[in-house]
Amino acid sequence: MTVSMSWRRRTALYTLALLCTSGAVAAVPAGASAAGDPHPAAAPAAVKFADEFDGPAGSAVDGSKWQIETGDNVNNHERQYYTSGNNNAQLDGQGNLVITARKENPGNYQCWYGTCEYTSSRLNTSGKFDSAYGRVEARMKIPRGQGIWPAFWMLGSNMGDVGWPNSGEIDIMENVGFEPNTVHGTLHGPGYSGEGGIGAGYSLPNGEAFADDFHTFAVDWAPDSIKWSVDGQIFQTRTPADLGGREWVFNKPFFLILNLAVGGYWPGDPDGSTVFPQQLVVDYVRVSD
């Protein structure tokens, strides 16, 4: 997702780490020596950031982990106004974050095109958490409909100094409503931004729609390599060799973003077939080594 104009009005901030590890210990048969096992169990990856979105129904997201952006986005010609607090982003009491897009304007919000027609929410971890490398994943159930545009992505933490796209952008998952069974993973950087981004799509088999169920979207990120997967199926790997000599700007810290946009250049605007409200339901977000 192309960076919004709001980023050009903000300075990037950073830091938070939440340790939350889990794993199973393999049983050793009686009389056997664990030290002699030729294939010892791998140590569980250290979790650097996690939000399981546990909390009372209707409560806002954890402010120690997320900040909430407000305003519109002329750069992509999106139609929504991102609201503050828990108006459009709240916990459901069942371990999920629900980001809701509505056709409404209760605050007489003004957008680049005039009086705003929709509200939604956009969250980021700038100033709370950033990191370089590791596995970055979210389990989500995405919304559906023409003009609906959910995204889970990252921006380079030096954006306040170098601007976009020099900061780099890693789109872990984007979906545009007219492609209900396809998601996209994309890199944006200097000389390969916007429509020139480097990426690929992943489609579910048999015409299934991503909005029908939860799926896990992830990147496995190492120096000079990023791999995208859906439900553990790797569908794309990118390295500096894919950039045709252009600069690889992904060996540094990035922060996380979750948002649900309405309309824009890529998805097009909602039409008579689009049903509101639409919801992006997030089970968890985790970053591990």
Side-chain angles (χ1 to χ4, degrees), residues 123-138:
L123 318 175
N124 70 70
T125 66
S126 177
K128 316 291 184 177
F129 171 82
D130 68 351
S131 184
Y133 314 131
R135 180 174 179 85
V136 184
E137 65 179 302

Side-chain angles (χ1 to χ4, degrees), residues 22-268:
S22 63
V25 178
V28 179
S33 169
D37 185 349
H39 303 291
V47 177
K48 299 185 283 187
F49 175 93
D51 200 334
E52 308 296 328
F53 302 112
D54 294 323
S59 57
V61 293
D62 187 341
S64 70
K65 299 176 182 178
W66 303 95
Q67 65 172 336
I68 300 175
E69 295 184 50
T70 60
D72 65 343
N73 184 3
V74 65
N75 289 351
N76 290 333
H77 275 203
E78 298 165 17
R79 312 292 292 189
Q80 81 291 324
Y81 185 93
Y82 289 128
T83 67
S84 61
N86 62 349
N87 292 329
N88 293 79
Q90 58 181 246
L91 307 186
D92 67 357
Q94 301 178 47
N96 300 306
L97 164 66
V98 181
I99 298 177
T100 303
R102 300 185 180 95
K103 189 173 184 178
E104 64 172 10
N105 189 343
N108 193 30
Y109 305 119
Q110 297 301 302
C111 288
W112 59 269
Y113 57 89
T115 301
C116 305
E117 299 172 343
Y118 307 92
T119 63
S120 190
S121 188
R122 173 163 154 164
L123 318 175
N124 70 70
T125 66
S126 177
K128 316 291 184 177
F129 171 82
D130 68 351
S131 184
Y133 314 131
R135 180 174 179 85
V136 184
E137 65 179 302
R139 182 174 183 265
M140 302 185 290
K141 184 177 181 181
I142 70 170
R144 71 178 80 228
Q146 168 58 37
I148 304 300
W149 187 7
F152 174 44
W153 50 303
M154 297 188 285
L155 282 172
S157 296
N158 64 340
M159 196 183 69
D161 296 323
V162 302
W164 185 92
N166 292 335
S167 61
E169 175 180 325
I170 303 171
D171 297 326
I172 302 169
M173 186 288 301
E174 291 184 279
N175 169 263
V176 285
F178 60 81
E179 295 180 329
N181 75 326
T182 301
V183 293
H184 298 265
T186 313
L187 294 180
H188 299 275
Y192 50 102
S193 61
E195 293 181 359
I198 307 296
Y202 175 88
S203 298
L204 290 171
N206 306 318
E208 299 170 65
F210 274 100
D212 292 338
D213 205 349
F214 283 87
H215 296 273
T216 301
F217 307 97
V219 292
D220 287 284
W221 176 22
D224 293 341
S225 174
I226 302 174
K227 298 179 180 180
W228 283 256
S229 63
V230 175
D231 298 328
Q233 299 294 312
I234 295 173
F235 69 93
Q236 171 182 213
T237 300
R238 294 296 175 181
T239 71
D242 294 301
L243 303 186
R246 291 163 293 185
E247 184 182 5
W248 177 269
V249 290
F250 308 103
N251 292 341
K252 63 185 180 187
F254 278 63
F255 60 87
L256 312 176
I257 307 166
L258 278 169
N259 73 288
L260 175 53
V262 179
Y265 287 129
W266 187 14

